[in-house]
Amino acid sequence: MHNLNNPITYINGISVQRATLLYTELGIKTCRDLLHFFPFRYIDKTQFYQINQLQPSNAEVQIVGKITHIKSVAQQKGSRLVATFQDATGTMELVWFKGQKWIANALKINEPYVIYGKLNHFNGSFSMPHPEMQLVTEYQKKLQSAMQPVYASTEKLASAGISNKLIRTYIESLFKQFYDGIEETLSHEILKEQQLISKKEALLNVHFPKSQEALAKGQYRLKFEELFFIQLQLVRKNLLHKTRIKGIVFKSVGDNFNNFYKYHLPFQLTGAQKRVLKEIRKDVASGIHMNRLLQGDVGSGKTIVALLSMLLAIDNGFQAALMAPTEILATQHFNAIATMLKDMPITVDLLTGSTKTKKRRTIHEALENGSLHILIGTHALLEEKVQFYNLGLAIVDEQHRFGVAQRAKLWMKSPSPTLPKGKGVSTENNNIINSTTKLKSLPLGSPETSGGGEAQLENTLPLGGKGWAPPPHILVMTATPIPRTLAMSLYGDLDISVIDELPPGRKEIKTVHRFDSQRLSVLKFMRDEIAKGRQIYVVYPLIEESEVLDYKDLMDGFESISREFPMPKYQISIVHGKMTAEKKEFEMQRFVKGETHIMVATTVIEVGVNVPNASVMIVESAERFGLSQLHQLRGRVGRGAEQSYCILMTSAKLSDEAKTRVKTMVETTDGFKIAEVDLKLRGPGNLMGTQQSGVLNLKIADLIKDGEILHLARKTAIKLLEQDPNMQQESNERIKKAFNEMTKTAKVWSRIS
Ligand code: ADP
Ligand code: MG
């Protein structure tokens, strides 16, 4: 009877039909679901406003005053009824478009009313259309439930008569029938330490708040709980990974690393680069599989960290791979790395979609017999045919472009089930650490409740290679700074390193906003810069939906630039997605070599391209780009010693959001600050793409506003698992139970890593 897992038809008044509708429209199936279906806003009738306090927002307000005058005003179609409403501080108008006659008769002049509704603001005065009204005498007689919850609804629900009021009745019945069945999910210790109210009380406060304060306490408790259990899953997954997945041991730093570091390093590493490298070295020497995310803003110097890590692998007898999201990038990595390694006894090759069959075959062979040390490429690396002799480290650059599934595929590139042949290979033949396991691999909890979660978790942890060979260490590099709160939620199961320092001597890129009408001065600026020997990018948007139009813009732009910068004095490159890879590469190379002055392109050059002599980035229709894209684009310049510029061209008319984006870009070059603004503008789901939104599908917490609670929740989860990794202590029994319940249903695992 009190089981919250019962379908909602157990609640008085909910028919099968309505239950079905609630499920298809809102995903509410069980009593528990309904209990956790939280109001998305509240009507606050605890506050009274005075007319001179009103603000032009579209919030709903409650006012006490009197009607002094009523009139009918003719308008284009019919008429409207207007009442003058006044309190001690001012006057405003109440307006009706419907039921005018009836209302006019019912209204009482000069008697105090409580009115409630949304405000309109026009020409400095306020009006309220169709207010809710009660005589003060009536108002005082009624028992007021202060805050009224409003639940999300859909058109279908509304037309089936499932109103907000009805949902409230259902939830009221639910509370009456099931109140005793609501179990506490947190331990006494945590409740006390975090000063949280009980689960029952919190739910009651959130569905039927008596005051703002009670509501806030209830929400806080439920937000903490929600974030805590997500963090508990992520932190536990990370621990489990560390305890269970054995890693290849890179025992020593050998000649390749040392010689390169001493004799071939083109610059001194920054402090941040050194620190990150240390973190990686610690990981790969530990015997535990590395699963690390390396965040570093554009230009922070991730490539050299990748290279040095690969040298570590090679020094220990293993191969290394570096995967990039586009051919241009892969090629660029290849060129940069091959150049840096030219005096080293190390073999490097490039594999992309356009690698010729014959070359491909040589690569496959060299990979399999171990004579090729480093393979750089695109997702072509993931093809079945690509098998390594002994892959020790796989690096993925700019990870947000790769799907999660692709990341997982890299695991399978380990050697075949014969003994690994590298010299530094551990001879133990099992990559699962078993007998000494601190964390049990067995499901938590009783057999009947443990079905889904843990078992599912086990399945999602690939055990590497074909059977037992340790999987390659994984380093994922991303140039898209992720706000900390988001990183904690999305990658809470990964270890994170951050390069938070740019190489020395970089000049801050000057960013300006120019309207299309100021194009002449921009052209002049371009000429001046070219005369100084600089090169320029001009980037056009390319959005899939308007592809045809965008290409037209690009070609028109290319033509007009060709007119302004005529040959032979000026040379212009153009690169866009419809060109073949060879043609693109050819044009890129002309620009890289300095043979062309201007590169006209769509966003294909967005990520990673490195041409230090290019010092001006002009973004056309900048209002159509997202913040992270603009940031990426700007990161293409400022790579050399010269002062660099970014010019954001827009039309005169901008949406508020576009204005904020442009303003943010002009004001800061800090990728993390930009990411924070982006998160606020777009919300976490949009920021990270839909495939990861599962983790972000929060019911009550908000990653933007509740960062503080998130930190506490994560800290609490870590502390708990440190003390009691399997949640076996009696005091943690409730947590364990709730955890099992949750992992059984939540698909968090399949979404990440
Ligand atoms: P990203 O993190 O965007 O991949 P890169 O690795 O491409 O950055 O580095 C950007 C530029 O900075 C390159 O030209 C690289 O040679 C240079 N660079 C990297 N680290 C340093 C350093 N410590 N000192 C000076 N220049 C550096
Ligand atoms: Mg890079």
Side-chain angles (χ1 to χ4, degrees):
M1 180 63 197
H2 293 319
N3 189 345
L4 285 167
N5 291 326
N6 285 333
I8 49 174
T9 44
Y10 276 63
I11 298 166
N12 293 338
I14 303 189
S15 64
V16 174
Q17 249 171 348
R18 285 189 165 163
T20 310
L21 208 53
L22 282 167
Y23 179 63
T24 52
E25 291 296 291
L26 299 170
I28 298 170
K29 194 171 184 180
T30 64
C31 296
R32 187 187 308 282
D33 293 338
L34 187 61
L35 197 60
H36 291 90
F37 179 55
F38 299 124
F40 73 96
R41 69 183 182 98
Y42 296 85
I43 295 171
D44 181 3
K45 292 196 173 174
T46 57
Q47 281 249 32
F48 287 92
Y49 287 84
Q50 294 188 323
I51 292 175
N52 70 351
Q53 293 175 325
L54 298 178
Q55 298 291 333
S57 75
N58 61 351
E60 286 158 24
V61 294
Q62 181 171 249
I63 309 166
V64 181
K66 290 174 186 171
I67 291 174
T68 56
H69 184 74
I70 306 174
K71 65 182 175 199
S72 180
V73 179
Q75 54 183 42
Q76 257 181 5
K77 242 173 131 192
S79 63
R80 63 178 189 271
L81 181 69
V82 177
T84 308
F85 186 75
Q86 109 180 19
D87 71 1
T89 68
T91 59
M92 62 184 285
E93 290 184 338
L94 312 179
V95 186
W96 291 267
F97 302 94
K98 285 182 189 160
Q100 298 179 22
K101 208 164 177 189
W102 182 82
I103 290 167
N105 283 333
L107 289 177
K108 297 200 163 64
I109 304 283
N110 281 327
E111 287 209 37
Y113 274 103
V114 178
I115 64 161
Y116 179 85
K118 259 195 176 162
L119 284 177
N120 283 335
H121 183 247
F122 186 70
N123 271 350
S125 64
F126 289 94
S127 66
M128 188 184 284
H130 289 259
E132 274 177 39
M133 303 189 63
Q134 267 181 327
L135 284 167
V136 169
T137 46
E138 277 170 44
Y139 178 88
Q140 284 164 341
K141 269 185 245 159
K142 277 197 199 151
L143 189 67
Q144 297 297 323
S145 70
M147 312 269 302
Q148 288 179 14
V150 181
Y151 296 91
S153 186
T154 68
E155 222 164 284
K156 270 196 187 152
L157 286 174
S159 63
I162 305 184
S163 61
N164 191 55
K165 206 165 159 191
L166 196 58
I167 298 241
R168 275 161 62 191
T169 330
Y170 291 161
I171 292 178
E172 206 173 326
S173 306
L174 172 71
F175 267 95
K176 281 187 188 140
Q177 284 173 261
F178 288 86
Y179 193 67
D180 294 336
I182 300 174
E183 284 174 355
E184 184 51 67
T185 55
L186 297 174
S187 63
H188 284 300
E189 203 183 357
I190 291 177
L191 287 176
K192 212 173 126 200
E193 204 179 85
Q194 302 296 328
Q195 304 184 8
L196 302 171
I197 61 173
S198 73
K199 172 113 186 189
K200 269 185 186 173
E201 202 184 338
L203 286 168
L204 199 63
N205 283 359
V206 164
H207 287 293
F208 306 99
K210 291 226 167 61
S211 67
Q212 291 277 12
E213 203 194 345
L215 174 64
K217 273 192 182 157
Q219 284 178 329
Y220 187 90
R221 143 81 212 216
L222 296 173
K223 284 174 178 186
F224 183 92
E225 171 177 342
E226 182 169 44
L227 295 170
F228 171 77
F229 279 102
I230 292 173
Q231 289 303 320
L232 201 61
Q233 289 189 61
L234 293 169
V235 174
R236 190 173 142 81
K237 188 179 178 194
N238 182 306
L239 284 178
L240 213 54
H241 184 104
K242 287 193 176 148
T243 338
R244 296 188 52 238
I245 310 294
K246 200 177 265 189
I248 305 165
V249 183
F250 297 170
K251 269 202 225 88
S252 51
V253 180
D255 288 348
N256 288 315
F257 186 99
N258 286 329
N259 286 339
F260 181 81
Y261 203 92
K262 261 192 228 145
Y263 306 117
H264 303 292
L265 200 62
F267 35 69
Q268 263 229 305
L269 295 188
T270 62
Q273 284 169 323
K274 282 186 193 156
R275 188 190 66 233
V276 165
L277 207 57
K278 219 179 263 172
E279 287 164 354
I280 293 168
R281 271 171 60 176
K282 199 169 154 214
D283 279 3
V284 296
S286 70
I288 292 165
H289 178 252
M290 175 172 79
N291 202 12
R292 188 169 279 281
L293 179 75
L294 171 56
Q295 277 200 58
D297 212 340
V298 260
S300 61
K302 294 182 291 296
T303 315
I304 196 75
V305 172
L307 174 56
L308 285 161
S309 310
M310 292 197 285
L311 292 180
L312 269 184
I314 295 164
D315 273 341
N316 286 278
F318 288 90
Q319 294 167 303
L322 170 59
M323 184 163 84
T326 64
E327 206 155 328
I328 290 179
L329 260 178
T331 309
Q332 189 166 297
H333 273 317
F334 172 73
N335 291 335
I337 286 172
T339 309
M340 285 195 269
L341 294 178
K342 68 179 186 309
D343 299 323
M344 302 273 303
I346 289 176
T347 49
V348 194
D349 222 324
L350 174 70
L351 181 71
T352 70
S354 48
T355 305
K356 296 274 182 325
T357 317
K358 202 171 144 208
K359 172 78 181 164
R360 214 168 258 265
R361 232 175 269 139
T362 340
I363 290 178
H364 289 167
E365 221 165 87
L367 265 190
E368 279 168 44
N369 68 29
S371 60
L372 181 57
H373 300 122
I374 297 179
L375 182 61
I376 297 171
T378 54
H379 49 267
L381 296 192
L382 298 174
E383 283 163 17
E384 196 97 5
K385 284 205 198 102
V386 180
Q387 287 297 332
F388 288 77
Y389 173 72
N390 56 2
L391 180 61
L393 170 67
I395 301 178
V396 183
D397 195 10
E398 320 289 4
Q399 77 97 40
H400 64 295
R401 297 221 152 183
F402 287 105
V404 166
Q406 286 169 312
R407 244 208 278 170
K409 264 195 185 172
L410 278 172
W411 284 75
M412 305 309 173
K413 294 291 173 189
S414 285
S416 52
T418 50
L419 255 168
K421 295 154 242 172
K423 51 181 167 162
V425 174
S426 125
T427 49
E428 283 148 287
N429 63 358
N430 194 336
N431 74 322
I432 311 287
I433 301 168
N434 36 32
S435 52
T436 53
T437 303
K438 249 204 314 189
L439 287 173
K440 276 198 202 156
S441 57
L442 286 173
L444 293 164
S446 55
E448 71 269 23
T449 57
S450 59
E454 283 300 282
Q456 200 183 333
L457 164 59
E458 313 248 311
N459 292 338
T460 59
L461 291 178
L463 301 178
K466 301 206 173 83
W468 52 265
H473 292 298
I474 306 269
L475 179 67
V476 174
M477 307 198 293
T478 167
T480 310
I482 305 164
R484 255 191 81 66
T485 54
L486 207 54
M488 258 199 272
S489 305
L490 285 172
Y491 304 111
D493 61 325
L494 300 185
D495 293 309
I496 300 182
S497 291
V498 182
I499 305 186
D500 49 8
E501 179 188 352
L502 290 182
R506 291 272 166 85
K507 289 200 179 119
E508 182 113 330
I509 300 164
K510 286 194 180 142
T511 304
V512 293
H513 173 205
R514 292 285 179 267
F515 292 109
D516 290 335
S517 54
Q518 296 163 296
R519 192 168 292 279
L520 277 180
S521 68
V522 174
L523 288 169
K524 175 170 185 314
F525 178 75
M526 289 168 73
R527 266 182 222 110
D528 293 348
E529 286 298 300
I530 293 173
K532 285 191 221 157
R534 307 287 114 73
Q535 289 168 284
I536 299 175
Y537 292 104
V538 182
V539 175
Y540 286 82
L542 183 81
I543 317 290
E544 257 165 57
E545 300 93 69
S546 50
E547 202 177 324
V548 178
L549 255 179
D550 283 345
Y551 273 111
K552 191 176 172 307
D553 284 355
L554 174 76
M555 295 326 275
D556 288 353
F558 177 63
E559 262 172 42
S560 74
I561 288 172
S562 305
R563 240 177 289 124
E564 295 290 340
F565 298 87
M567 294 213 282
K569 186 169 178 204
Y570 298 103
Q571 297 292 327
I572 304 170
S573 286
I574 179 164
V575 169
H576 60 75
K578 286 196 174 160
M579 291 160 67
T580 63
E582 283 122 69
K583 191 96 198 341
K584 267 193 254 179
E585 180 53 27
F586 175 76
E587 286 294 327
M588 255 335 279
Q589 283 311 322
R590 288 213 305 150
F591 191 67
V592 171
K593 287 186 208 139
E595 293 169 10
T596 56
H597 302 103
I598 302 175
M599 161 65 77
V600 177
T602 52
T603 42
V604 285
I605 61 148
E606 174 185 334
V607 186
V609 175
N610 191 21
V611 183
N613 190 50
S615 64
V616 182
M617 166 61 66
I618 297 175
V619 184
E620 294 285 346
S621 304
E623 68 269 33
R624 291 180 58 203
F625 288 86
L627 262 178
S628 70
Q629 255 183 326
L630 288 174
H631 181 61
Q632 287 287 338
L633 285 172
R634 180 167 58 186
R636 295 310 105 215
V637 296
R639 306 192 145 227
E642 307 306 329
Q643 175 62 54
S644 291
Y645 303 89
C646 174
I647 303 177
L648 304 172
M649 303 290 302
T650 73
S651 59
K653 224 177 143 191
L654 294 179
S655 70
D656 285 349
E657 208 192 299
K659 267 185 215 154
T660 308
R661 288 197 299 263
V662 170
K663 187 164 161 262
T664 306
M665 288 299 294
V666 171
E667 278 170 4
T668 181
T669 51
D670 181 333
F672 281 93
K673 276 192 196 141
I674 291 170
E676 292 283 349
V677 176
D678 206 18
L679 178 63
K680 278 179 193 146
L681 287 179
R682 291 203 289 157
N686 292 327
L687 203 59
M688 301 312 295
T690 44
Q691 82 270 27
Q692 273 145 334
S693 62
V695 194
L696 302 168
N697 205 355
L698 299 172
K699 285 201 166 75
I700 189 162
D702 177 335
L703 288 182
I704 299 167
K705 294 181 190 144
D706 301 324
E708 199 61 34
I709 308 178
L710 176 60
H711 280 275
L712 283 174
R714 184 169 175 88
K715 240 168 66 189
T716 310
I718 291 172
K719 187 171 151 204
L720 183 142
L721 290 176
E722 270 169 5
Q723 290 170 352
D724 185 13
N726 288 304
M727 295 175 251
Q728 283 165 321
Q729 290 168 15
E730 213 183 311
S731 56
N732 290 326
E733 209 178 306
R734 296 164 175 173
I735 294 177
K736 182 164 96 180
K737 196 168 167 215
F739 181 86
N740 280 332
E741 199 75 49
M742 181 180 157
T743 47
K744 211 163 48 172
T745 48
K747 303 261 186 305
V748 179
W749 300 125
S750 51
R751 312 258 175 165
I752 29 181
S753 124

